[in-house]
Amino acid sequence: MNTIVITGVTGNIGSHVLFELLFDLYSKNKEATIYVLIRKQQAKSGRQRLLDEVFTEQLIPNKILPFYKTYLEKYIHVIKGEINNFSLPEAAGNDLIVYHLAASVNLSNTEKAKNEIAHVNYTNTQAFFETIKSRTKKLVFVSTAFSRGEIEGEITDDYHSVTDFEFRNFYEAYKMKVEKLILQIAKENNFSCTIARPSVVSGRLIDYPKFVSSRYIVFYAIGEFFKKIKKTTPNIGKVRMVLNMEGGLNIVPVDYVAKAIIRATDIKEDQLNITLTQSVPIQHIIKSILQKCDVDIELVDEEPKNKTTIEKLFYKTIGSQLVKYSTSKKHNFESKLIRKLLADIDEPDMIENFSDMYTFAHDISFNNANIKLEANL
C-alpha cells in the first residue's frame, strides 16, 4: 500500500491531484495512506480548510461523488503545519510518494514580490526537503512551463542542458532555481524525481462539471478587472491592448494537468512539460474576454504612451504582470512526452473551448459560490 504526501492541496492543481488520486484508488480497487499538509488559518483547522476549500459541492468532480466521503475518512490524514515546519508521523514509513505543489504564484517584479517568492518557493521548499528527503521514494515536483523564461521557437522538455535564460519575473527565476536544487537533493538522497511543468492552468475540460476551477487567475483576471470597471464606469471608451499579433498562450485544463501529475509517478524522465500541442492565439484570448465584458478594444503592438485613465489603471495593475506574456515571442511546446504519457486521453481542444471556458467564469463572477448546483446534476 502506497504512502503519499501532498502539499498545496488547497490550490487549484493540488485539489485536482487529490480528486484524481481518490478516483485512481476507486477505479483500481487499491488502498493508500494520503497525508495532506495544510496550515491552520485564523480559527479554521487544516481539516476544516480541506472540507471548505477542496471538498466543496461546486468543485467536486461528478466521478467521485458516489464514494468521496468514505474515501476521505478512510484514506486522507491532515498534517497541520507549514512546509518549513511540520512533523511527518513515523508510521508514514520511508518509501513516500511526494507531490509537492505548495508555492506562491506572484508574477510581479517588485522587491516585495522577490522576497515573497524567495522565501516561500525556495527557502521553505528547501526546508521541506530537509524533513522528507531521507524518506522519499518518488517525488513529483510541480514547477511551471515558463521556468524556461522568454524564448522563441520550439520548447522541449529539457530545460537543464541550456544556460541562456531570460526570465520575465522572479517567479520564473526561482522556479528554475528550485528545480535544480531538488534534482540535486534527489541525486544525493537516491530517490526518483520528475519535474512536472504545467503551462497556464484553466478550469476543467475533461471531467464534469466542465470549466470549474478552484481559482480564476491569470487570463481570467483580465476579465475580472474589466467586469468590475464596467460596473462603476459603463462608458470606458476604447481600450488599447498590447500583444504580439502572432503570439499565443499555452493554456491547459486543470484535470488534464492532474492526470499527468499522477502518471508522472511511474516515469523515469526527470522533466515533463504538461502542455497542449497548440497554444491559443493571444488575439483570440483578448477578443473573447473583452467581447464578453462588452469592452471596445484596439489591438496594438506597443504599449500606448498617452494612456486613458482606464488604460493607466490596467497597465499599472493586471497589465504589469500579464503584458510580458501577451507580448512574448512566438513559441510552441514540443509536447511529445506528455502526449505519450496521456495517449489514451483525447487532447482537449482549448482553442475551440476557450470562449466557453472564460464565459463560465465570467457568468459566476469568478466565484464558485455562485454556481447553481442543479446545473451539475
Side-chain angles (χ1 to χ4, degrees):
M1 185 168 72
N2 286 330
T3 301
I4 296 165
V5 176
I6 311 175
T7 70
V9 77
T10 58
N12 191 28
I13 301 176
S15 58
H16 282 84
V17 165
L18 186 54
F19 298 152
E20 201 62 36
L21 274 173
L22 293 184
F23 185 74
D24 199 49
L25 295 180
Y26 176 79
S27 58
K28 295 177 181 176
N29 196 25
K30 291 163 55 179
E31 294 188 333
T33 303
I34 303 172
Y35 292 98
V36 292
L37 178 59
I38 306 176
R39 68 177 181 270
K40 180 180 177 182
Q41 207 170 60
Q42 296 171 337
K44 192 179 286 189
S45 69
R47 185 79 182 182
Q48 195 58 50
R49 286 191 65 201
L50 183 68
L51 297 174
D52 292 350
E53 299 175 39
V54 179
F55 289 96
T56 65
E57 290 181 287
Q58 295 90 347
L59 184 63
I60 297 170
N62 290 353
K63 68 182 185 181
I64 70 168
L65 276 174
F67 61 86
Y68 84 89
K69 289 182 181 177
T70 302
Y71 276 47
L72 178 58
E73 291 302 316
K74 191 174 182 181
Y75 299 123
I76 299 175
H77 307 271
V78 175
I79 299 174
K80 61 181 181 181
E82 307 274 351
I83 61 170
N84 62 328
N85 184 18
F86 72 100
S87 180
L88 191 64
E90 284 299 317
N94 296 322
D95 290 310
L96 303 174
I97 296 171
V98 179
Y99 301 100
H100 184 44
L101 298 102
S104 167
V105 183
N106 187 333
L107 304 181
S108 295
N109 273 314
T110 63
E111 195 64 26
K112 182 181 178 182
K114 180 183 179 181
N115 292 336
E116 177 189 325
I117 292 292
H119 179 68
V120 176
N121 292 4
Y122 189 82
T123 306
N124 283 4
T125 294
Q126 195 170 24
F128 173 76
F129 282 100
E130 283 302 313
T131 303
I132 60 97
K133 65 184 182 183
S134 63
R135 303 175 66 178
T136 298
K137 176 174 70 174
K138 172 72 183 195
L139 164 70
V140 181
F141 172 72
V142 179
S143 183
T144 172
F146 300 99
S147 65
R148 181 63 182 87
E150 173 72 279
I151 186 173
E152 190 170 15
E154 186 171 73
I155 303 174
T156 69
D157 297 87
D158 181 13
Y159 289 13
H160 293 171
S161 63
V162 297
T163 55
D164 58 326
F165 292 98
E166 184 185 332
F167 297 117
R168 282 163 283 219
N169 47 52
F170 298 116
Y171 174 72
E172 291 182 351
Y174 274 91
K175 277 294 191 182
M176 176 48 61
K177 190 175 181 180
V178 81
E179 280 186 27
K180 292 179 177 178
L181 169 73
I182 286 173
L183 286 178
Q184 185 62 34
I185 292 173
K187 185 178 179 181
E188 291 170 356
N189 291 274
N190 198 31
F191 62 80
S192 174
C193 175
T194 298
I195 306 291
R197 303 191 190 101
S199 50
V200 175
V201 179
S202 73
R204 296 194 290 253
L205 264 186
I206 302 169
D207 297 328
Y208 288 86
K210 289 189 177 181
F211 310 138
V212 181
S213 171
S214 69
R215 285 173 178 75
Y216 300 92
I217 57 175
V218 192
F219 64 87
Y220 293 110
I222 299 171
E224 188 172 19
F225 172 89
F226 283 106
K227 185 173 185 178
K228 288 178 180 176
I229 289 293
K230 284 285 287 186
K231 283 185 179 179
T232 57
T233 315
N235 301 314
I236 65 175
K238 184 174 286 188
V239 175
R240 291 165 291 178
M241 299 291 290
V242 62
L243 49 79
N244 176 357
M245 301 296 178
E246 296 183 341
L249 191 63
N250 200 283
I251 302 174
V252 61
V254 67
D255 43 0
Y256 192 77
V257 172
K259 294 173 199 302
I261 288 170
I262 299 304
R263 294 193 186 186
T265 311
D266 300 318
I267 66 174
K268 293 179 180 178
E269 288 86 355
D270 60 10
Q271 299 176 73
L272 170 71
N273 287 347
I274 307 177
T275 51
L276 298 186
T277 52
Q278 281 191 303
S279 294
V280 184
I282 289 290
Q283 290 195 50
H284 180 55
I285 293 171
I286 298 299
K287 286 176 180 177
S288 297
I289 292 173
L290 295 190
Q291 183 178 14
K292 179 65 180 177
C293 294
D294 192 27
V295 172
D296 187 17
I297 61 165
E298 179 185 349
L299 303 180
V300 295
D301 53 17
E302 286 186 8
E303 186 175 325
K305 292 182 172 61
N306 57 330
K307 297 182 181 73
T308 65
T309 302
I310 299 299
E311 288 173 340
K312 284 178 183 175
L313 185 59
F314 172 76
Y315 284 104
K316 185 179 179 182
T317 55
I318 303 299
S320 68
Q321 298 184 23
L322 300 186
V323 162
K324 291 182 179 67
Y325 295 94
S326 69
T327 57
S328 283
K329 297 170 185 174
K330 188 176 181 181
H331 61 272
N332 66 286
F333 291 91
E334 184 188 56
S335 304
K336 287 181 181 177
L337 179 56
I338 183 61
R339 285 311 301 147
K340 181 181 177 182
L341 188 64
L342 298 179
D344 58 315
I345 299 171
D346 289 339
E347 185 177 38
D349 189 336
M350 186 58 71
I351 298 174
E352 176 71 25
N353 286 279
F354 179 81
S355 183
D356 289 340
M357 177 79 74
Y358 173 74
T359 295
F360 169 83
H362 184 102
D363 288 347
I364 62 167
S365 295
F366 313 96
N367 185 346
N368 285 346
N370 296 324
I371 295 175
K372 294 180 180 178
L373 291 171
E374 318 74 88
N376 296 346
L377 300 177

